[in-house]
Each structure stands twice: as structure tokens, then as C-alpha cells.
């Protein structure tokens, strides 16, 4: 008997914030006491992510998962989208299924690249990693918009290898995307959080590479040192073109690159196992000092905002590394612990995430200006 399967398409517009585990209770209490806020029941989500050994879906900039909630299963494929700071905008297609293995032909034909051999790809699929987490949701009426807030706590794992999930996702259900920023602004004055640039899927692929299941992605990306050198050039060009018609474009480029690089360096330093911690932290310091220069060129920036960034730079510089131990391994291990503790300390300050939000807000404003 043929069963009709309904596929539906949605475009996610969401802002991802990361928090420290010890702040979970405070976040829950904050939402439970917020006006015009409807709490939803706690749910457990079990997810398996699939791709071929050659990462065909990844090459197509797609992500495929099966999500199980209770006895219900849904397969989802996310196609190419955009990430600006912590704002994720990505189309996705969802189909209810009954089995634990994907069936790609249930998705609309138009989502695939031309000449894609979907059936062959389907036969090569394998589960690369899993994510299991508990989710608490609230529906919030905020400035004439409806926003779903999801608090996720759990792990991304492959056998015994795992990474923690502590995320707060603000997803626009209806209304203006600007309300995601204003809600985030309110939250960041109450609880220390920061932006999350990487999706659970991206983190899972990195974990799979670490586990040796797949090869690490080689997309000819610049190294962190090369990114810093390129960013220096961008900042210099911006300063030298203050009187030119292209100045707004240069500011937008610096803000966008600056925030993206900040989040990438932060993510590397926030890993549970850090390598080359001292050199990475020093790149982080240099990059934030350059970004502070860009920050000072934002029109209409308050003295309070400038002082906030100055205090962040002072906090980042307050670190002393171990260079006295004779054994290099002991020295590296000590410095890794110093960096981990320092990043945890920075993440515990509300100013850290607030500065990221100011940058993101100005990136979005400059986009609107350039598109006008």
C-alpha cells in the first residue's frame, strides 16, 4: 500500500547563544518569570546525522539528520544558508518517517544539484555522529513578534568521544527579525552568554574528523595567522578611506570579518582539549585589539560601549603564562589550564556577549544601508 508522505519547507531565522552550565537554572527562572511567555513541556531529542564516507552532502553544503522525539521520527535536510555572527538563516525540509535510516527521495527533487544521483548517495549514507539533548521551550510575545526560545543541554558524541551542548536558540516564528536582537540585548544584561557561530552539525563533523571517521575538511581556508594579517590590511584600508565613497563598505567588511574571526578563535580556545594554547590566545589578543579600533569607528557608539570594550581588552591582557618549567610537556599542560580558566572567566562577564551583540547589530544595520 502506498503511503503519502508530506514534505514541508521552512526557513530558520535564529540567533544562537552559548552559556555556561552553572547558569542554566538562572536562565530557566528568567523565562519562567517573563511576561507574555508560555512555557512548553520538557522534551528529549535524539538525533543521528548522516553523510557518505566522501561527505557528499557536506560538499553540497547540506546537513541531514533523523530526529526522534518519543516514538515519532522526522528526517530533515538543511540546505545552504548564511551565518552572520550568531544569526543563522538556513532553509530546511522536513518529512515524517517511521524508520531509523534516511530516505532521500522523500525530499523535493528541486533541492538537489543538477545530475545528482540521489539513490546512489542514499545507498552510501552512514551515521557519522549523534546528538542527544533535553530541550526546554518558551513562546514569547516580544515587540509584536512571536519568538520561540529553546534551551538545549546535552552532548554531541561518537562512542566515548563527546562534546557538551549548552545552547539557547532564539527562533523567529512571526514578526520582525530585529526582535531577535532586542530580546538578546535584554537577556545579555541579565545572564552572561555569547554568540554561537557553529551549528551542532558542524561541531559533529569536527568531532567525526577528530575520531578519525572522516578526513578533516580541507577547504583551503586561511590559517588564524593569515586571517589576522588579512584583517590588519582590511582595518588599514578602512582608516585610509574615511573620506571615500567606499568607506561604508570597508567598515562593513571589517565588522563582519572581525566578528567572524573573533567567534572562530573563541571556539578554538573554548575546546575541552586545547592545542597550541599560548599562540592561539596571543592571536586572540591581537585580533581583539584590532577589532577595538574598528569598534571605535562605529557611528553613534556611546562612551559606555567604548569603555566596555576597553575593560574587555584589560581583562584579556590579565594573564600570565608558565615559561619557567624545564619540562616542555608540563609547561604546555599548565598553560592549557591557564587558557581554559581565562576563557571561562571571560565568558562569565555579561560585557563579553554585549560587545558581540553591538557588533552584530551594526553589521545588520550596515547591510541594510548598503542594500538601500
Amino acid at each position: 500500500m502506498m503511503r503519502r508522505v508530506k514534505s514541508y519547507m521552512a526557513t530558520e531565522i535564529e540567533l544562537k547563544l552559548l552559556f555556561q552550565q552553572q547558569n542554566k537554572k538562572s536562565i530557566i527562572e528568567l523565562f519562567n518569570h517573563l511576561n507574555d511567555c508560555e512555557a512548553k513541556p520538557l522534551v528529549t531529542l535524539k538525533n543521528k546525522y548522516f553523510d557518505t564516507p566522501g561527505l557528499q552532502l557536506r560538499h553540497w553544503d547540506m546537513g541531514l539528520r533523523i530526529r526522534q522525539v518519543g516514538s515519532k521520527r522526522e528526517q530533515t535536510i538543511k540546505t545552504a544558508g548564511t551565518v552572520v555572527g550568531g544569526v543563522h538563516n538556513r532553509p530546511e525540509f522536513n518529512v515524517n518517517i517511521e524508520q531509523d535510516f534516511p530516505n532521500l527521495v522523500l525530499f523535493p527533487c528541486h533541492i538537489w544539484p543538477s545530475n545528482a544521483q540521489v539513490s546512489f548517495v542514499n545507498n552510501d549514507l552512514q551515521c557519522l555522529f549523534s546528538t542527544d539533548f533535553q530541550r526546554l521551550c518558551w513562546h514569547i510575545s516580544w515587540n509584536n513578534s512571536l519568538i520561540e526560545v529553546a534551551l538545549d543541554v546535552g552532548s554531541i558524541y561518537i562512542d566515548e568521544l563527546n562534546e557538551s551542548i549548552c545552547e539557547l536558540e532564539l527562533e523567529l516564528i512571526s514578526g520582525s527579525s530585529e526582535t531577535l536582537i532586542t530580546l538578546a540585548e535584554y537577556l545579555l544584561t541579565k545572564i552572561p552568554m555569547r554568540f554561537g557561530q557553529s551549528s551542532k552539525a558542524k561541531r559533529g563533523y569536527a568531532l567525526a574528523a577528530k575520531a578519525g571517521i572522516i578526513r578533516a575538511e580541507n577547504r583551503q581556508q586561511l590559517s588564524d595567522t593569515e586571517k589576522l594579517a588579512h584583517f590588519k590590511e582590511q582595518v588599514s584600508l578602512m582608516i585610509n578611506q574615511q573620506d571615500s565613497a567606499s568607506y561604508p563598505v570597508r567598515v562593513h567588511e571589517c565588522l563582519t570579518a572581525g566578528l567572524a574571526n573573533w567567534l572562530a578563535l573563541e571556539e578554538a580556545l573554548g575546546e575541552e582539549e586545547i592545542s597550541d594554547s599560548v599562540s592561539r590566545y596571543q592571536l586572540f589578543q591581537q585580533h581583539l585589539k584590532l577589532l577595538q579600533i574598528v569598534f571605535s569607528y562605529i557611528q553613534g557608539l556611546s562612551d559606555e560601549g567604548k569603555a566596555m570594550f576597553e575593560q574587555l581588552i584589560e581583562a584579556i591582557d590579565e594573564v600570565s603564562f608558565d615559561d619557567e618549567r624545564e619540562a616542555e610537556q608540563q609547561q604546555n599542560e599548565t598553560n592549557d589550564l591557564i587558557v581554559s580558566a581565562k576563557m571561562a572567566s571571560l565568558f562569565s562577564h555579561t560585557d563579553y556577549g554585549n560587545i558581540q551583540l553591538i557588533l552584530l547589530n551594526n553589521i545588520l544595520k550596515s547591510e541594510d544601508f548598503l542594500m538601500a
Side-chain angles (χ1 to χ4, degrees):
M1 179 178 177
M2 184 175 292
R3 181 172 57 89
R4 291 191 65 185
V5 179
K6 184 178 181 181
S7 168
Y8 61 95
M9 181 265 191
T11 300
E12 284 186 324
I13 302 177
E14 67 178 27
L15 178 60
K16 186 191 295 288
L17 298 170
L18 308 179
F19 62 89
Q20 293 169 302
Q21 176 74 36
Q22 64 265 29
N23 291 323
K24 174 186 172 182
K25 184 178 179 181
S26 298
I27 295 170
I28 294 171
E29 289 178 351
L30 175 64
F31 285 114
N32 285 342
H33 291 89
L34 200 63
N35 293 330
D36 299 319
C37 183
E38 178 188 358
K40 302 294 181 180
L42 176 71
V43 293
T44 299
L45 294 88
K46 297 180 178 296
N47 309 271
K48 295 183 182 298
Y49 287 78
F50 295 82
D51 206 334
T52 68
L55 305 184
Q56 183 61 73
L57 296 178
R58 190 72 170 159
H59 292 257
W60 288 340
D61 205 2
M62 291 179 165
L64 174 67
R65 72 162 185 244
I66 289 181
R67 168 167 290 172
Q68 182 175 348
V69 181
S71 60
K72 294 182 179 180
R73 296 178 182 83
E74 180 183 66
Q75 68 175 28
T76 296
I77 194 159
K78 297 190 179 187
T79 57
T82 59
V83 179
V84 179
V87 177
H88 299 243
N89 190 332
R90 197 173 190 190
E92 65 175 43
F93 296 83
N94 306 281
V95 184
N96 293 325
I97 59 171
E98 295 180 355
Q99 68 276 7
D100 288 325
F101 195 82
N103 185 355
L104 298 183
V105 299
L106 298 179
F107 292 122
C109 298
H110 70 267
I111 71 171
W112 305 110
S114 58
N115 301 321
Q117 296 180 309
V118 177
S119 60
F120 287 102
V121 172
N122 207 130
N123 291 337
D124 282 344
L125 290 175
Q126 61 181 18
C127 179
L128 298 182
F129 57 90
S130 302
T131 68
D132 289 356
F133 52 90
Q134 288 191 315
R135 168 170 287 179
L136 270 173
C137 279
W138 297 266
H139 281 187
I140 302 174
S141 297
W142 189 268
N143 293 348
N144 299 316
S145 294
L146 182 60
I147 297 172
E148 180 177 83
V149 176
L151 185 150
D152 296 341
V153 175
S155 64
I156 305 168
Y157 64 91
I158 302 169
D159 297 326
E160 300 301 317
L161 196 62
N162 67 83
E163 288 188 1
S164 62
I165 296 171
C166 287
E167 299 178 352
L168 193 71
E169 296 180 350
L170 316 181
E171 182 174 350
L172 184 69
I173 298 177
S174 63
S176 169
S177 58
E178 292 178 4
T179 57
L180 295 178
I181 302 297
T182 59
L183 178 56
E185 188 174 29
Y186 170 77
L187 297 175
L188 287 169
T189 63
K190 305 293 184 181
I191 310 285
M193 289 184 279
R194 63 195 193 278
F195 286 169
Q197 184 166 243
S198 292
S199 65
K200 296 180 183 72
K202 184 176 180 181
R203 292 177 62 197
Y205 273 96
L207 193 65
K210 187 176 180 179
I213 296 174
I214 60 174
R215 290 185 178 181
E217 291 184 88
N218 181 15
R219 298 191 176 187
Q220 297 182 335
Q221 295 179 341
L222 297 177
S223 68
D224 290 337
T225 304
E226 291 169 330
K227 286 179 183 177
L228 179 64
H230 181 60
F231 189 50
K232 284 181 180 177
E233 293 174 1
Q234 288 179 297
V235 174
S236 177
L237 191 61
M238 180 198 76
I239 294 171
N240 293 330
Q241 293 189 358
Q242 290 183 63
D243 298 325
S244 72
S246 60
Y247 177 67
V249 176
R250 300 293 170 243
V251 173
H252 177 73
E253 289 174 347
C254 285
L255 289 171
T256 304
L259 181 55
N261 292 346
W262 178 358
L263 297 179
L265 287 165
E266 169 199 294
E267 188 173 274
L269 288 168
E271 290 175 355
E272 294 173 10
E273 293 183 13
I274 310 172
S275 59
D276 302 324
S277 58
V278 174
S279 59
R280 287 191 182 200
Y281 191 85
Q282 289 169 342
L283 283 170
F284 178 72
Q285 285 176 303
Q286 294 174 59
H287 185 83
L288 266 290
K289 288 176 182 178
L290 269 176
L291 188 52
Q292 185 186 20
I293 295 172
V294 181
F295 195 79
S296 67
Y297 279 81
I298 295 176
Q299 290 187 351
L301 181 65
S302 67
D303 290 338
E304 182 183 2
K306 293 177 182 178
M308 196 185 298
F309 211 136
E310 183 66 37
Q311 290 167 6
L312 175 62
I313 295 298
E314 289 176 3
I316 288 171
D317 285 344
E318 290 176 356
V319 61
S320 298
F321 294 114
D322 181 3
D323 56 4
E324 296 179 356
R325 295 178 187 266
E326 294 183 4
E328 183 178 348
Q329 182 177 352
Q330 286 184 330
Q331 181 176 307
N332 290 339
E333 289 174 353
T334 301
N335 285 330
D336 290 348
L337 292 173
I338 290 171
V339 170
S340 292
K342 187 61 188 179
M343 296 305 295
S345 174
L346 292 173
F347 295 161
S348 69
H349 291 285
T350 54
D351 285 354
Y352 189 92
N354 271 307
I355 294 170
Q356 293 181 340
L357 182 63
I358 293 171
L359 288 167
L360 174 61
N361 201 16
N362 280 275
I363 289 170
L364 299 176
K365 285 179 180 178
S366 65
E367 278 185 352
D368 290 341
F369 174 79
L370 294 173
M371 292 174 64

